[in-house]
């Protein structure tokens, strides 16, 4: 069975600490209506055509478990050396205007004198169209 294409409007924020070093990353992903509708069908247990708070928590837990296998599609290096990305404090989900959105906030391991970190939010399976 072919994997469906998923279109994501992804936003990424680098958070600096008081010392000026990179301290955390925030991701916000808004999914296309087709994928969002599949999320609704899979998680709307009470069949009211929306995702209530407990259902949204189930979405967030499932996404968190899935993304952790792929380092949250985020790679950070400083001077060519990998920087560890901690497990997000929380991954949350919403379902608004027929669109599922998920976001998270992950701490970055401390690296002394972080210089010019190279941040990538990509995977070998991501295709980009211009």
């Amino acid at each position: 069975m072919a994997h469906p294409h998923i279109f994501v409007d992804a936003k990424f924020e680098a958070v600096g600490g008081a010392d000026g070093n990179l301290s955390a990353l925030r991701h916000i992903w808004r999914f296309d209506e087709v994928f969002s509708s599949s999320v609704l069908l899979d998680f709307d247990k009470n069949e009211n055509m929306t995702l209530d708070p407990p259902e949204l928590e189930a979405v967030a837990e499932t996404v968190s478990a899935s993304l952790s296998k792929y380092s949250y599609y985020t790679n950070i290096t400083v001077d060519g050396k990998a920087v560890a990305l901690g497990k997000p404090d929380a991954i949350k989900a919403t379902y608004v205007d027929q669109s599922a959105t998920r976001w998270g906030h992950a701490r970055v391991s401390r690296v002394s004198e972080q210089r010019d970190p190279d941040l990538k939010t990509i995977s070998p399976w991501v295709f980009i169209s211009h």
Side-chain angles (χ1 to χ4, degrees), residues 102-123:
R102 79 99 186 141
W103 69 94
H105 184 250
R107 303 258 173 234
V108 175
S109 69
R110 301 305 297 169
V111 176
S112 62
E113 299 181 26
Q114 293 178 11
R115 296 178 304 278
D116 300 323
D118 182 21
L119 309 172
K120 294 179 183 171
T121 57
I122 197 158
S123 84

Side-chain angles (χ1 to χ4, degrees), residues 48-91:
N48 66 350
M49 297 306 295
T50 192
L51 294 174
D52 301 316
E55 295 163 338
L56 289 168
E57 288 176 25
V59 170
E61 288 173 15
T62 300
V63 168
S64 181
S66 175
L67 292 178
S68 68
K69 296 174 189 173
Y70 303 100
S71 189
Y72 304 95
Y73 291 114
T74 303
N75 299 300
I76 307 169
T77 58
V78 174
D79 295 332
K81 296 178 184 168
V83 175
L85 181 64
K87 182 179 177 186
D89 296 339
I91 289 183

